[in-house]
Amino acid sequence: MAEITNEMILQAIKELVEQLKNHSEETNNRFEQINQRFEQIDQRFEQIDRRFEQIDQRFEQTDQQFEQTKQQLVEINERLDQVEQKIEEMDKQLTDVANGQKILVEELFENKKEIKRVKNILNIY
């Protein structure tokens, strides 16, 4: 009977070892799957990081373009101010020319009246 008990104990130990082996393999397989899943997650995070880097670069480019556009706008405003000043100067000069022409026309008219008067006097004599 002791031999049967020993044999049963040995058989139970063999079965436990086999179960432990199977359980160990299953656990290793599960850990392998978990590792693969973490690798996939790591790859996804790397993709997301690259995407954020691309977005950051685009924001930097946009910021640079905005600064360039802003500088161009400042330059255009300065040019417009200069043009406006030139237009004001030209307007003043044109007003001065128009006033001068008006004076000349008035003097010409006065001169023609005087010439006509002198002709009339000379025709009388």
Side-chain angles (χ1 to χ4, degrees):
M1 178 123 158
E3 204 173 287
I4 293 176
T5 306
N6 283 343
E7 203 173 296
M8 286 174 69
I9 292 173
L10 188 59
Q11 184 61 33
I13 290 173
K14 284 182 181 178
E15 286 177 15
L16 283 173
V17 167
E18 188 64 32
Q19 285 177 4
L20 196 61
K21 228 189 219 179
N22 287 339
H23 183 69
S24 179
E25 286 178 7
E26 285 177 20
T27 303
N28 285 341
N29 286 339
R30 293 288 255 150
F31 275 121
E32 180 79 24
Q33 290 173 351
I34 290 171
N35 279 341
Q36 288 176 354
R37 184 67 183 137
F38 275 121
E39 286 177 4
Q40 290 173 348
I41 291 170
D42 282 346
Q43 289 175 354
R44 184 67 181 138
F45 274 122
E46 287 175 6
Q47 290 173 347
I48 291 170
D49 279 348
R50 283 195 298 274
R51 185 70 180 135
F52 272 117
E53 286 175 4
Q54 291 172 349
I55 290 170
D56 281 347
Q57 287 176 350
R58 290 175 87 184
F59 271 121
E60 286 178 17
Q61 289 173 347
T62 303
D63 281 347
Q64 288 174 353
Q65 289 173 345
F66 178 77
E67 286 302 319
Q68 289 173 350
T69 303
K70 191 170 128 183
Q71 182 61 34
Q72 289 172 346
L73 184 61
V74 166
E75 291 172 5
I76 288 171
N77 281 336
E78 288 173 355
R79 288 184 197 149
L80 284 175
D81 287 344
Q82 291 172 357
V83 167
E84 186 178 352
Q85 287 175 356
K86 287 181 181 179
I87 288 173
E88 286 175 5
E89 288 174 15
M90 290 172 63
D91 186 45
K92 185 179 179 276
Q93 290 172 353
L94 286 174
T95 301
D96 290 347
V97 167
N99 289 338
Q101 285 179 339
K102 182 179 175 186
I103 292 170
L104 287 175
V105 167
E106 288 172 357
E107 286 182 15
L108 181 62
F109 181 71
E110 289 299 320
N111 286 342
K112 282 188 177 183
K113 278 181 21 183
E114 186 65 27
I115 291 172
K116 190 173 183 180
R117 189 181 67 75
V118 169
K119 277 186 180 178
N120 285 340
I121 290 176
L122 287 176
N123 282 339
I124 293 177
Y125 296 112

